Amino acid sequence: MSDASFDSQLRENEAEFGDYFALLKPRVMTLVVFTAFVGLLAAPVAVHPFVGFCAILFIAVGGGASGALNMWYDADIDAVMKRTAKRPIPAGRVAPEEALAIGLTLSVFACVFLGLATNWLAAGLLAFTIFFYAVIYTMWLKRATPQNIVIGGAAGAFPPMIGWAAATGDISTASVLMFCLTFLWTPPHFWALALFVRMDYDNATVPMLTVTHGRRATRTHILAYTVLLAAFAIGLGFTQVGGPIYLATALVLNALFLRGAWAIWRRDEATCEADNFKAEKSFFKLSLVYLFAHFGAILVEAGLDRMGAW
């Protein structure tokens, strides 16, 4: 190999800012920031704008830290899965020890400064969330049980509770139900994805429900969790963060979600193969809108309440 080609290869594998940012899972961080922001704004306690900005910033950093720790530990399975093979670590642009150092440093930074900026209940919830996602889910449950997504979903469900706690210093029925909304949404969202990318999980030997119990059982689980989700989502409308806009949104979206889950449950594998999992992909796309729309409706309700419209 010539010096020129060797230097070219080094430059190709050299990490850039975007690679380090990708370690923080920015798409997941978007959901974390948004739901935490809604929890903060929906709380019945006014927060100074600067304190609120700091709270959301540190929650976002904590969420990014979780992503970096997850990528560090999962680099081996990321390398064999088509949709994750180009991530910074398996692609060779970021060393595993770098990702670990970034994840640990940002974790401590986020929790300490969130505690100083708001209160230690919020900081404690953030610390537990990082620990739960990085250790309980990533290092243990993800590779140990087909219920990995169910239990692991708790990590992504904490941000609205953390936002609420940052504003109020406590936990309420409304914040717990916001947690449940995300927690119960996670399984049907990811299982729908698993139905049409099953080979990725087969190749990585991750015990996703589609791998351990098959697609028929997965369809039944999607329907069951969607029914539970609908009950909690609509119930949230009768708490202090609900209202007519949220209830209208919840009723429409949950009717569509239930219809989609029912359609998935009724399908057989021959039909799915014939239309390239059209219903499953449609349900997955709806699930992306579902959560943002619910929390968006809560945000609108909070804004109208602050303006004295209700």
Side-chain angles (χ1 to χ4, degrees):
M1 179 183 293
S2 68
D3 290 344
S5 60
F6 181 72
D7 290 342
S8 176
Q9 183 177 348
L10 282 178
R11 284 195 298 273
E12 183 177 334
N13 290 330
E14 187 177 346
E16 299 178 353
F17 174 78
D19 296 311
Y20 291 110
F21 185 63
L23 279 178
L24 310 183
K25 292 191 172 182
R27 282 190 292 183
V28 176
M29 192 192 296
T30 300
L31 177 63
V32 168
V33 168
F34 181 60
T35 57
F37 179 72
V38 172
L40 184 79
L41 266 291
V45 176
V47 176
H48 189 280
F50 181 72
V51 174
F53 170 79
C54 290
I56 297 304
L57 174 63
F58 299 137
I59 292 170
V61 171
S66 298
L69 293 172
N70 172 267
M71 284 204 190
W72 160 71
Y73 193 81
D74 275 353
D76 58 334
I77 61 175
D78 282 348
V80 298
M81 293 176 67
K82 183 178 179 180
R83 67 187 183 87
T84 57
K86 294 183 180 180
R87 285 177 172 176
I89 299 176
R93 296 189 299 275
V94 175
E97 56 270 20
E98 284 185 287
L100 175 61
I102 289 169
L104 292 175
T105 301
L106 291 182
S107 296
V108 174
F109 171 84
C111 294
V112 169
F113 279 90
L114 180 62
L116 293 172
T118 59
N119 58 74
W120 294 106
L121 173 62
L125 286 172
L126 179 60
F128 179 74
T129 301
I130 296 171
F131 173 80
F132 192 96
Y133 186 70
V135 178
I136 303 299
Y137 170 65
T138 301
M139 297 183 187
W140 177 27
L141 296 174
K142 185 172 183 177
R143 308 184 191 214
T145 170
Q147 296 299 311
N148 46 21
I149 287 298
V150 178
I151 307 169
F158 276 112
M161 286 186 70
I162 300 172
W164 183 282
T168 65
D170 65 15
I171 295 171
S172 70
T173 301
S175 70
V176 170
L177 285 177
M178 284 192 283
F179 168 92
C180 291
L181 178 62
T182 309
F183 177 71
L184 293 171
W185 164 85
T186 303
H189 167 73
F190 278 104
W191 283 333
L193 174 66
L195 284 172
F196 57 88
V197 296
R198 176 179 168 177
M199 290 308 298
D200 260 4
Y201 295 109
D202 285 341
N203 295 337
T205 64
V206 174
M208 189 64 75
L209 194 64
T210 47
V211 177
T212 61
H213 290 69
R215 289 176 175 168
R216 180 70 262 161
T218 303
R219 296 175 190 281
T220 300
H221 277 69
I222 288 174
L223 179 59
Y225 271 90
T226 302
V227 171
L228 276 174
L229 172 62
F232 278 87
I234 294 170
L236 180 57
F238 296 96
T239 67
Q240 65 199 99
V241 302
I245 293 175
Y246 175 84
L247 274 173
T249 302
L251 288 170
V252 171
L253 282 173
N254 283 281
L256 293 173
F257 218 48
L258 285 166
R259 185 178 71 175
W262 176 255
I264 286 176
W265 181 77
R266 294 181 62 192
R267 285 159 63 83
D268 56 48
E269 297 313 309
T271 304
C272 294
E273 295 290 346
D275 66 10
N276 194 27
F277 297 90
K278 182 178 179 180
E280 290 75 11
K281 291 177 179 178
S282 177
F283 183 86
F284 177 74
K285 290 177 182 177
L286 176 61
S287 72
L288 297 174
V289 175
Y290 178 98
L291 200 64
F292 277 100
H294 276 77
F295 277 97
I298 295 172
L299 188 60
V300 171
E301 294 281 5
L304 292 172
D305 185 61
R306 294 283 172 89
M307 292 188 296
W310 296 143

